[in-house]
Amino acid sequence: MPASVHSEQEQDQTMMDAEPEIDPIMLDEKRVVVLPGSSETSASFQFEGEGHTMGNALRYAIMKNPAVEFCGYTIPHPSDAKMHLRIQTTENTTALEALEKGFSDLMDLCDVVSEKFTAARDQFNEESGNKMQS
């Protein structure tokens, strides 16, 4: 077999063996990474594509946990869409558990805000509708 035919066959086989390319947007990306130097009760996490909005809200929710000694966040550089979050806990819980509880508490807080906003909007629309009919 000529060398060119052999290499084409190898390339074809390699392409068949390889997984099909997937658009990077469709991939289940690692959006949260535990940074090096972490322990059970003290860890730093890097969030891809997040900024001050998530950082400050999550820090607030995590600090409400009495087992958390410290929680802070930084944006390493304004042109990088990354946020670092540091959590230090007592020995009663781990940093990862505190992070999970923080997300859960933040979701609960968002649900309450959404419910109250919807109720106030509905009441306003109802009162506005009654005034227009009068």
Side-chain angles (χ1 to χ4, degrees):
M1 242 199 287
S4 62
V5 172
H6 184 65
S7 63
E8 284 179 23
Q9 287 176 342
E10 285 178 357
Q11 287 176 348
D12 289 344
Q13 184 62 41
T14 303
M15 289 179 71
M16 285 190 282
D17 291 343
E19 292 184 28
E21 286 189 36
I22 300 173
D23 186 4
I25 296 172
M26 300 302 289
L27 291 175
D28 185 18
E29 299 175 19
K30 288 187 178 181
R31 297 214 31 209
V32 181
V33 177
V34 179
L35 296 175
S38 297
S39 68
E40 287 289 314
T41 59
S42 180
S44 293
F45 303 90
Q46 178 176 287
F47 293 79
E48 294 288 332
E50 297 298 341
H52 290 287
T53 304
M54 174 67 78
N56 197 33
L58 191 55
R59 180 204 56 79
Y60 172 81
I62 292 171
M63 281 304 297
K64 291 288 191 179
N65 183 344
V68 173
E69 293 177 341
F70 172 82
C71 182
Y73 80 96
T74 61
I75 306 297
H77 194 276
S79 66
D80 252 349
K82 295 178 182 176
M83 183 260 299
H84 290 182
L85 183 79
R86 176 80 175 168
I87 302 172
Q88 291 174 221
T89 65
T90 62
E91 292 182 8
N92 299 336
T93 190
T94 67
L96 185 57
E97 290 170 344
L99 178 63
E100 290 171 348
K101 182 174 178 358
F103 273 125
S104 177
D105 292 349
L106 185 56
M107 287 173 47
D108 292 344
L109 178 63
C110 289
D111 289 343
V112 168
V113 169
S114 178
E115 289 168 9
K116 289 190 180 222
F117 172 81
T118 302
R121 182 200 59 203
D122 293 347
Q123 181 182 358
F124 175 80
N125 288 341
E126 186 179 301
E127 289 172 2
S128 296
N130 290 340
K131 287 180 184 177
M132 293 182 91
Q133 291 176 0
S134 301

